Amino acid sequence: MVGRRVAAMGFMVLLFSVATVQPASAYVDPGSGSILLQLILGGIAGIGVVAKLYWQRLKHGVSHFLRKP
């Protein structure tokens, strides 16, 4: 119950922040782009490692979810 409230509040904050974005005249230097790329690739690698560690649970959960009518 609390998890749903937190998720709903997070979604509302995300929706509000996306809805109130104003255009900016900004410059992103290549160093920042490199850091962002490393952040994204590190996140993808982290998700891959977690998926590998919990592969059996994930596989069981997905198969159980797909069997539900």
Side-chain angles (χ1 to χ4, degrees):
M1 192 69 154
V2 174
R4 286 186 179 186
R5 286 184 188 170
V6 171
M9 185 176 286
F11 179 73
M12 293 301 288
V13 168
L14 179 67
L15 186 64
F16 180 75
S17 65
V18 169
T20 59
V21 171
Q22 296 180 359
S25 299
Y27 170 73
V28 178
D29 65 328
S32 298
S34 175
I35 289 173
L36 287 173
L37 182 63
Q38 289 179 19
L39 180 72
I40 292 169
L41 291 177
I44 291 170
I47 289 171
V49 168
V50 170
K52 183 179 178 183
L53 289 174
Y54 293 102
W55 177 249
Q56 291 299 323
R57 288 185 184 179
L58 185 67
K59 189 174 160 183
H60 177 72
V62 168
S63 66
H64 182 70
F65 178 74
L66 293 177
R67 284 188 205 155
K68 272 189 165 178

